[in-house]
Amino acid sequence: MRTEGGNPQRQDAQIELLGLCVTPLVAIELGKIEQGKSKKWIIFALFFSWLGDVLLMFHQEDPLFFLLGLSSFLVSHIFYILFFHFVRLKEMVKSRWYLVLIVALYYVIVIAILSPYLGEMKLPVRIYAIAISFMFL
């Protein structure tokens, strides 16, 4: 595994360091969450976030790794959305309709600003931005 001008030992060390850093953080966070169905959503979200980081380390070798990393982060955001949804249900937090309008307006403005610069990434970025927007609701 060699990138242009890169040091393969350095990349190996980065991967090992990422694994060493993420594992204790996951354990700490899981200890904070009470047992129940919602805990599994956090476990899945953290796993796919970690996988996205690992895949992005290889994006210079093949652009496919960037899309795979982005997809992994998208999946992690979907799991976070599920987690937040179940917490809201459990805590009986009511939705506020005006937040949907604010988030939709923000999404439209950000996408309008970014779109001219996205090229072939326009669709993936729009889908990813929708997922992130749902996290606000």
Side-chain angles (χ1 to χ4, degrees):
M1 138 175 55
R2 186 169 192 102
T3 59
E4 299 174 272
N7 181 341
Q9 288 84 15
R10 183 171 178 199
Q11 278 190 324
D12 291 342
Q14 287 174 336
I15 293 169
E16 291 172 10
L17 184 61
L18 181 63
L20 290 173
C21 291
V22 170
T23 304
L25 291 175
V26 170
I28 290 168
E29 288 305 310
L30 291 179
K32 293 178 183 178
I33 302 169
E34 32 177 284
Q35 292 294 339
K37 292 180 182 178
S38 61
K39 191 172 194 172
K40 71 180 175 187
W41 302 120
I42 291 294
I43 293 169
F44 291 143
L46 290 171
F47 170 76
F48 280 98
S49 294
W50 171 82
L51 182 62
D53 283 333
V54 170
L55 290 168
L56 286 179
M57 286 183 194
F58 303 105
H59 79 279
Q60 290 178 336
E61 292 180 29
D62 187 342
L64 178 62
F65 284 110
F66 179 78
L67 286 176
L68 292 173
L70 186 68
S71 299
S72 185
F73 285 121
L74 175 63
V75 170
S76 74
H77 280 88
I78 291 169
F79 285 126
Y80 283 123
I81 290 166
L82 289 169
F83 171 74
F84 294 144
H85 173 71
F86 289 118
V87 167
R88 275 197 310 269
L89 289 177
K90 182 180 175 186
E91 300 294 325
M92 292 184 275
V93 176
K94 294 189 179 201
S95 297
R96 294 179 176 87
W97 63 270
Y98 61 88
L99 286 179
V100 173
L101 295 175
I102 293 170
V103 170
L105 180 63
Y106 180 78
Y107 170 83
V108 168
I109 291 170
V110 168
I111 292 301
I113 292 169
L114 292 178
S115 283
Y117 307 102
L118 295 176
E120 63 185 32
M121 295 301 293
K122 199 174 285 190
L123 181 62
V125 169
R126 287 179 178 179
I127 293 169
Y128 191 76
I130 288 171
I132 291 173
S133 297
F134 268 97
M135 290 181 67
F136 289 106
L137 304 176

